[in-house]
Amino acid sequence: MNRGHRRVALLGAALGAASLGAGALASPGAGAAAPRVVLPQAAPHIPADAARLGSAPSGQVLSLDIALAGQDPTGLQQAVAAVSTPGSPDYRHYLTAAQYASEYGPSAAEVAQVSSVLRSEGLTVGTPAPGSILLPVSGTAAVVSAAFGTPLESVQAPNQAKALVNTASPQIPAALAGSVTAVVGLDGLFEEHSMLVHSHTTGATGSGTDTQGHDLVSHASTPQACSSASFAAATEAGVYTSTQMSSIFGLDQMFAQGRTGVGQTIAVVEFEQYLPSDFDTFESCYGLSNPIRNVPVDGGPAGAPEGAGEAALDTELAAFNAPSASLVVYEAPNNNDAQAFDLFDRIASDDTAQVVTTSWGNCEALISMADRQTENQIFARMSVQGQTVIAASGDAGSEDCYPTNGSTALAVDDPGSQPDVVSAGGTTMASASASSQVAWNCQLSCHGSPGAGGGGYSLEWPRNPNQPAAPGSGADFDPCPTGPSTGCRSVPDISYPSDPSAGAVVAYFDGTWTGFGGTSVAAPTNAGLFTDTNQGCFNRLGRVGPALYAAADASSSTFTDITSGNVDFTDSHGGEFQAGPGYDAASGLGSPVDQNLSLALQGADGCPAVASVSPRTGPISGGGAITIDGGGFANATSVTFGSVGAGQILSRSENSITVVPPNAHGPICVDVTVANSQGISATSSADQYGYDGDLNCGQGYRFVASDGGIFDYGDAGFWGSTGSIRLNAPVVGMAVTPSTDGYSMVASDGGIFNYGDAQFYGSMGGKHLNKPIVGIASTPDGGGYWLVASDGGIFNFGNAPFYGSAGSMHLNKPIVGMAATPDGAGYWLVASDGGIFSYGDALFHGSTGSLVLNSPVVGMAAAPDGGGYWLVAADGGIFDYGTAGFFGSAGSLRLNKPVVGMAATPDGAGYWLVASDGGIFTYGDAGFYGSAGGMALNQPIVGMSSA
């Protein structure tokens, strides 16, 4: 992926750029200190059947977002077009989140000015995430009403909780005109709707443990359904397992080549909870081991812990269709527009997910223009950062508002209608064949579960230049002006089986295998396809819409064209819209032929992916040829055996390479990677090759006892110890060098002991300390280290900079450990109560400082990307923050001895815990290589490091 700083080549006027200025001047009220302007933001429509309960309680606190214009809205839209248009000089040359913030996010001066004015209005103003256009504010209803010059009313729509809405367009001080574009959060009637339809299938409650023979690591073959899932799918015609669906649409061919989403992350959008036990059962059934973690936004969703099935379906389908990917579930309440936008904004700000999937939406016609444009700015940011967003198109055909208010007017679903989002529609699949699909439309009078794939034209967004006009008739089918280059964007872009009676898929929900339909199936399934396609590529797909249409234009083999059926759900528009040859507003381009589309999006024969190496071991030198199977090999330029070097390619085809390994200097395990012009294969356990039988492949760990004794396992090398030396003070921690060929140990008096390639840069040994040393961390280049004392004092040596300390602070509990950021420009300290102290570029992501813990915190580890950290307690409890995922804990186990430390795996997808008796507990992708749990130790274990 190319994510460098660049200047965008202009590709013409920005698409869909809307005026961001404030509206007309408003007359200042009595006592007003300054003139005000009215924002072009209409008050929410209050349904006729909603109960109007009078003025809002004056003391009720509202949490809102102030949408800011940012530095260059027009330039941002031009950048979106440039990075996503095939043939552009900047095609797929993305920005990092920091670069986006610098070029397009609100300036510090803009944030400061707006914040100052709003505080003067009596509002409490928060701090936006870097680059975010959403400035958080809060205040009582009375303060908010006065600050924005709009009455607030309590209302209650049918089947919704009581809510507050503004009844007039908000006003802002004239000084903020041009900087503030909207006030988000005043629409308490805004509610995201799930695109889920239950089938009639309810199967066994099997645990999923009846699966046998699954590969839990590499997934270089199609995950097979367990008998419980297969039985549930077989109880009714038209219901399938995910294994069957992958075979029908060609995803199994990608799996066979090792294209499984290695190294990729999917963000799953949710407004309800799900049961981790449901997800675990599904994973067990299919032999999967996807890392998953939840990120609550605005406190997370309320409601039943099991949800209504949407979150269970989304997470499970995303996991199956990208079996090696990590999942991050972003969860928010569903009470107003601000909460939904906060969720999307958090995904954009985090910028950890390459693909984003949502099966939630709202009728576009019921969303204010100001809200749509605010949302558009967030999706534009995702586009220039290279994040792909896919959304369900809706389950009410061409009349998307019908489930909400009974309107039969033509309407489409947001966010799928947004120009930077892929809209996934629905089909009916009459038999187990992609060619049997027709547009899904089980009208209100049908015998099954009513629903239809969402399709039609946006009210606002102009058609992207790459998108052909969809056929239609009547005066109202396309709301935009017509002409050679105008007209509105139409949806969907692609389709997938969604009919709950003919194309449903089984998932595990609330303890039972259940069949599901709806376009909720289409979004996470194809999110998996895009994730697998990204694997091993230099440049990920990003805003993939234009590339989808280019791929369809170039070859008819990339999509199965849907040519019959319509999506006129209420039968009010003469069958609008009809499926037909080519692109249409009923089925889009059709359903992807997964393998063919993936290759078309990548170019040539695709980015390389390794599925297997055979044989997996060989001699240190003089070994014979081995065979590598996978994909993207026809134009392979090199095969590299880790640090050993490049092999000699004897022959190559699209799916196989014969290569002679280079000679090694000794036993070593390496990842075998293949490179071509599109990328380098992502590493996984499937590509490992062991010289002289070594298959640990750099994985392992070592731990240190208080006498300085070292215990090494796996590929963790032994470089020496103080186990036989009489120490002035006990050893309390250790840090490994960047090469992993050495380590430093520190004693409680600050004495330093170096082994292997670890260098001595100084120590506190023999010097007066106010409190004992409790931890050590190395700089990324190995040129220095920090020591931390229990009072939070920091001692830096070599090239380790000083960023601050807690040495002069009054601490509630003593410091017990530290961790450095990956770039060495900051560090965290952790206290035994879980309090976190951040310095330099180490950001605060949360702590247990205000919680009552069962056992004290004893250590921490930083996430490899620097975006989070784990804390571990003496009882083995794990507390994860930021990008650090939760993979399990020993908190519920009866331990022989307390846990004293932890270490994360290199990819951050797992961790080890070590107890004072040398017992090891492994989670996520952390392998077990041995322990000292059954040994008689001279002194207890006090810390550990990974290999």
Side-chain angles (χ1 to χ4, degrees):
M1 178 181 62
N2 188 337
R3 286 165 66 108
H5 183 88
R6 83 284 178 273
R7 287 295 171 188
V8 176
L10 300 184
L11 293 184
L15 302 178
S19 171
L20 295 174
L25 281 170
S27 300
R36 307 175 74 81
V37 293
V38 180
L39 289 173
Q41 177 180 340
H45 171 71
I46 301 176
D49 56 354
R52 306 188 71 148
L53 307 176
S55 297
S58 61
Q60 184 171 339
V61 176
L62 281 73
S63 296
L64 311 173
D65 288 322
I66 305 303
L68 304 177
Q71 296 180 72
D72 186 6
T74 300
L76 175 60
Q77 295 297 333
Q78 293 168 342
V80 168
V83 300
S84 60
T85 301
S88 162
D90 289 309
Y91 183 50
R92 293 181 179 171
H93 291 190
Y94 304 121
L95 296 181
T96 65
Q99 288 170 333
Y100 167 86
S102 175
E103 290 195 31
Y104 300 111
S107 67
E110 181 181 27
V111 172
Q113 182 212 10
V114 175
S115 298
S116 176
V117 172
L118 295 179
R119 287 191 184 101
S120 72
E121 296 283 332
L123 294 164
T124 300
V125 183
T127 302
S132 171
I133 62 168
L134 301 181
L135 177 67
V137 302
S138 62
T140 64
V143 169
V144 168
S145 179
F148 298 113
T150 178
L152 297 175
E153 185 175 338
S154 293
V155 298
Q156 185 168 18
N159 302 315
Q160 286 188 236
K162 291 180 181 179
L164 299 187
V165 297
N166 59 306
T167 56
S169 296
Q171 303 173 18
I172 57 172
L176 301 184
S179 294
V180 171
T181 64
V183 180
V184 185
L186 295 174
D187 185 0
L189 292 173
F190 183 101
E191 186 178 54
E192 296 281 354
H193 300 285
S194 163
M195 309 303 170
L196 183 73
V197 182
H198 287 252
S199 80
H200 297 295
T201 298
T202 300
T205 59
S207 66
T209 56
D210 54 346
T211 179
Q212 296 181 357
H214 293 307
D215 178 357
L216 292 174
V217 180
S218 65
H219 303 295
S221 60
T222 303
Q224 299 297 306
C226 60
S227 61
S228 298
S230 298
F231 175 80
T235 58
E236 183 179 353
V239 182
Y240 301 87
T241 66
S242 291
T243 302
Q244 291 171 311
M245 294 296 261
S246 70
S247 176
I248 293 169
F249 290 93
L251 197 62
D252 60 340
Q253 298 177 50
M254 295 179 63
F255 290 165
Q257 293 180 3
R259 305 181 195 272
T260 58
V262 175
Q264 304 296 304
T265 299
I266 301 175
V268 184
V269 172
E270 296 300 343
F271 297 95
E272 68 174 24
Q273 301 182 69
Y274 68 98
L275 294 176
S277 58
D278 284 347
F279 182 81
D280 292 344
T281 299
F282 182 91
E283 292 262 294
S284 177
C285 169
Y286 284 96
L288 302 170
S289 55
N290 302 72
I292 186 171
R293 63 184 176 90
N294 300 333
V295 176
V297 177
D298 294 343
E306 70 274 12
E310 183 63 74
L313 178 72
D314 294 343
T315 53
E316 292 169 15
L317 291 189
F320 175 90
N321 288 282
S324 296
S326 298
L327 306 184
V328 183
V329 185
Y330 289 82
E331 304 175 311
N334 195 12
N335 301 318
N336 59 51
D337 46 350
Q339 293 166 343
F341 296 172
D342 285 348
L343 187 153
F344 285 116
D345 187 65
R346 176 66 183 272
I347 295 173
S349 297
D350 285 353
D351 193 26
T352 56
Q354 294 79 33
V355 177
V356 182
T357 179
T358 177
S359 297
W360 299 79
N362 209 333
C363 180
E364 183 191 65
L366 300 180
I367 303 174
S368 72
M369 181 181 295
D371 270 4
R372 295 197 297 264
Q373 292 173 352
T374 299
E375 193 180 32
N376 179 254
Q377 292 285 94
I378 298 171
F379 291 134
R381 176 180 184 175
M382 291 186 187
S383 295
V384 298
Q385 292 177 175
Q387 294 177 284
T388 303
V389 185
I390 182 169
S393 72
D395 295 346
S398 58
E399 298 97 349
D400 193 70
C401 294
Y402 183 83
T404 302
N405 63 9
S407 171
T408 60
L410 292 176
V412 295
D413 199 79
D414 176 278
S417 62
Q418 290 273 344
D420 302 331
V421 175
V422 175
S423 175
T427 66
T428 292
M429 189 169 68
S431 64
S433 169
S435 62
S436 72
Q437 294 175 96
V438 299
W440 170 42
N441 188 357
C442 186
Q443 294 176 334
L444 294 175
S445 59
C446 77
H447 67 280
S449 300
Y457 281 82
S458 168
L459 289 170
E460 177 174 1
W461 304 113
R463 187 169 70 247
N464 295 332
N466 54 283
Q467 185 182 44
S473 62
D476 61 346
F477 84 93
D478 185 348
C480 296
T482 58
S485 61
T486 57
C488 276
R489 162 165 165 70
S490 53
V491 295
D493 297 298
I494 60 176
S495 288
Y496 192 80
S498 302
D499 189 330
S501 61
V505 65
V506 290
Y508 199 77
F509 166 59
D510 198 19
T512 302
W513 289 100
T514 303
F516 290 104
T519 51
S520 287
V521 174
T525 297
N526 286 285
L529 167 62
F530 295 146
T531 301
D532 300 334
T533 300
N534 276 333
Q535 178 184 313
C537 295
F538 290 134
N539 300 316
R540 62 199 194 194
L541 297 177
R543 179 179 179 252
V544 73
L548 293 176
Y549 288 92
D553 289 342
S555 173
S556 61
S557 67
T558 53
F559 291 92
T560 298
D561 195 8
I562 314 300
T563 58
S564 63
N566 70 72
V567 291
D568 186 358
F569 179 49
T570 64
D571 201 20
S572 303
H573 296 275
E576 205 83 273
F577 291 88
Q578 295 279 346
Y583 176 79
D584 54 69
S587 63
L589 293 166
S591 61
V593 180
D594 290 348
Q595 168 74 352
N596 295 348
L597 178 60
S598 178
L599 296 185
L601 294 174
Q602 292 172 327
D605 62 337
C607 304
V610 174
S612 65
V613 174
S614 181
R616 296 192 66 196
T617 61
I620 295 172
S621 62
I626 67 173
T627 300
I628 304 170
D629 291 322
F633 295 165
N635 299 304
T637 56
S638 66
V639 178
T640 302
F641 288 71
S643 61
V644 178
Q648 178 187 2
I649 298 176
L650 301 181
S651 64
R652 62 174 72 83
S653 65
E654 180 181 343
N655 302 122
S656 182
I657 293 180
T658 302
V659 60
V660 176
N663 294 334
H665 297 294
I668 187 174
C669 177
V670 295
D671 288 299
V672 180
T673 56
V674 179
N676 67 13
S677 60
Q678 278 78 36
I680 300 173
S681 59
T683 58
S684 73
S685 61
D687 66 26
Q688 292 172 355
Y689 179 80
Y691 286 91
D692 199 30
D694 181 358
L695 281 173
N696 289 324
C697 242
Q699 294 293 303
Y701 42 77
R702 62 179 66 81
F703 30 86
V704 60
S706 63
D707 61 357
I710 292 290
F711 303 82
D712 53 288
Y713 300 92
D715 271 359
F718 176 78
W719 307 105
S721 77
T722 62
S724 60
I725 300 175
R726 182 177 177 180
L727 303 177
N728 294 326
V731 168
V732 293
M734 70 182 309
V736 69
T737 60
S739 69
T740 72
D741 290 336
Y743 41 80
S744 300
M745 298 185 295
V746 63
S748 64
D749 63 356
I752 292 289
F753 306 90
N754 304 298
Y755 298 95
D757 65 358
Q759 302 296 309
F760 179 78
Y761 299 105
S763 79
M764 295 302 293
K767 300 177 182 179
H768 172 73
L769 298 172
N770 294 327
K771 294 291 182 179
I773 299 297
V774 293
I776 181 173
S778 292
T779 58
D781 62 359
Y785 41 76
W786 297 273
L787 310 183
V788 62
S790 65
D791 63 356
I794 289 289
F795 307 90
N796 53 303
F797 300 94
N799 66 357
F802 177 78
Y803 296 109
S805 79
S808 61
M809 297 173 60
H810 173 73
L811 303 178
N812 294 327
K813 293 292 182 179
I815 299 297
V816 293
M818 75 178 301
T821 56
D823 61 3
Y827 42 75
W828 296 277
L829 313 182
V830 62
S832 64
D833 62 357
I836 290 289
F837 304 86
S838 305
Y839 301 95
D841 69 352
L843 300 179
F844 177 78
H845 299 285
S847 77
T848 63
S850 61
L851 302 179
V852 177
L853 304 178
N854 295 327
S855 294
V857 169
V858 293
M860 74 180 303
D865 64 359
Y869 41 77
W870 296 271
L871 311 182
V872 61
D875 62 357
I878 291 289
F879 306 90
D880 53 291
Y881 299 96
T883 58
F886 178 77
F887 304 106
S889 79
S892 62
L893 301 178
R894 181 177 178 182
L895 305 178
N896 294 327
K897 294 291 181 178
V899 169
V900 293
M902 74 178 302
T905 58
D907 61 1
Y911 40 74
W912 298 275
L913 312 183
V914 63
S916 64
D917 62 355
I920 285 287
F921 305 88
T922 63
Y923 300 95
D925 67 355
F928 178 78
Y929 302 100
S931 80
M935 299 172 59
L937 303 178
N938 294 327
Q939 296 293 330
I941 301 299
V942 294
M944 75 178 302
S945 72
S946 67

